[in-house]
Amino acid sequence: MILFKKITDENLEKINNFQEIELLKAVNTYNKAALIISEYLYNCPDLLEQYPEISESFREIRMGIEEAEKRYNIKINQRKKNQEEQTNQKLYEEDQKRQEAATYEQYLQQERRNRGLRYGVPPMDKYSCPVEFPIRATANLAEPDSRGIYYYPDERDVEVYWCFSSREEAEADNFRRPYKTPPKRHAT
């Protein structure tokens, strides 16, 4: 019985390092051990008189069950809390993205109204457009039927007034192609 108690004490110490599934197995193992001892004591009540250590071992097993269940519940609650925190963080990040998108969309609509345009976006800097809007357009063309000239991405560098996703969008907002074929961009 001393050996059994020693094994039980060692198991109780190991429980502290168990993961959730291991704790569940430990609870089941301790419950099986308690059931076996209970059956033996029920079938042989005089065993307790002959071996009083059995009572102590049974108590150790009950402690093992309680400790394993306690640790298991702690792990379950930690996992649930972590999942809830992750879900809340994800919802927060999605909400932030939606708010940023809505703010950008408001800015974009205001810029389009200010410039009298229906399509496209402002340039990223003086000479470049976002990848999704590769058509670069200049402004202030002194022609009644055109606002400016648009260029394809591989054509010469120009000071960009506005960017479009397609030739059709640029033309719909009264931008035209140059009359002469523009030179290609210099490789950098």
Side-chain angles (χ1 to χ4, degrees):
M1 287 301 158
I2 292 172
L3 176 63
F4 186 73
K5 183 179 179 339
K6 182 180 177 207
I7 291 171
T8 304
D9 287 342
E10 288 174 4
N11 286 346
L12 283 174
E13 285 184 27
K14 286 180 186 176
I15 283 176
N16 291 328
N17 299 321
F18 281 4
Q19 296 299 318
E20 196 175 303
I21 192 75
E22 294 168 315
L23 286 168
L24 188 58
K25 288 178 183 176
V27 168
N28 291 336
T29 301
Y30 277 119
N31 278 327
K32 286 177 187 174
L35 184 63
I36 290 168
I37 291 174
S38 294
E39 287 175 3
Y40 275 109
L41 290 176
Y42 181 77
N43 293 333
C44 304
D46 57 328
L47 275 178
L48 249 133
E49 290 174 18
Q50 292 175 354
Y51 302 101
E53 306 90 36
I54 292 176
S55 179
E56 178 64 22
S57 295
F58 191 68
R59 189 180 72 73
E60 292 285 330
I61 289 173
R62 296 299 318 153
M63 284 175 41
I65 292 171
E66 290 172 10
E67 186 64 23
E69 285 176 339
K70 181 176 119 184
R71 297 281 177 191
Y72 176 73
N73 289 330
I74 288 171
K75 295 277 185 182
I76 291 288
N77 289 334
Q78 285 174 340
R79 180 175 49 81
K80 286 179 181 177
K81 183 180 175 186
N82 289 343
Q83 287 174 335
E84 185 176 320
E85 287 174 358
Q86 289 173 351
T87 299
N88 288 341
Q89 181 65 29
K90 186 177 178 181
L91 291 172
Y92 172 77
E93 289 170 2
E94 288 172 355
D95 188 49
Q96 287 295 109
K97 285 180 183 178
R98 277 192 297 277
Q99 288 178 7
E100 288 172 8
T103 300
Y104 179 74
E105 189 60 32
Q106 288 174 347
Y107 159 75
L108 184 56
Q109 294 303 326
Q110 184 63 42
E111 281 295 309
R112 285 177 180 164
R113 275 192 297 277
N114 290 345
R115 297 177 191 218
L117 299 169
R118 294 175 291 165
Y119 304 103
V121 297
M124 293 178 358
D125 59 42
K126 199 173 181 179
Y127 296 101
S128 62
C129 290
V131 174
E132 303 86 12
F133 296 86
I135 307 298
R136 299 168 295 124
T138 62
N140 302 327
L141 192 59
E143 294 179 10
D145 60 336
S146 268
R147 297 181 60 128
I149 298 172
Y150 69 87
Y151 295 87
Y152 292 115
D154 64 341
E155 294 175 341
R156 71 181 213 160
D157 286 324
V158 293
E159 190 169 321
V160 181
Y161 171 75
W162 201 249
C163 305
F164 294 98
S165 64
S166 68
R167 173 182 63 84
E168 293 80 13
E169 283 185 359
E171 291 173 357
D173 271 339
N174 288 333
F175 288 86
R176 67 167 176 81
R177 290 289 290 144
Y179 293 127
K180 294 182 182 178
T181 303
K184 300 291 182 190
R185 273 184 154 172
H186 294 342
T188 55

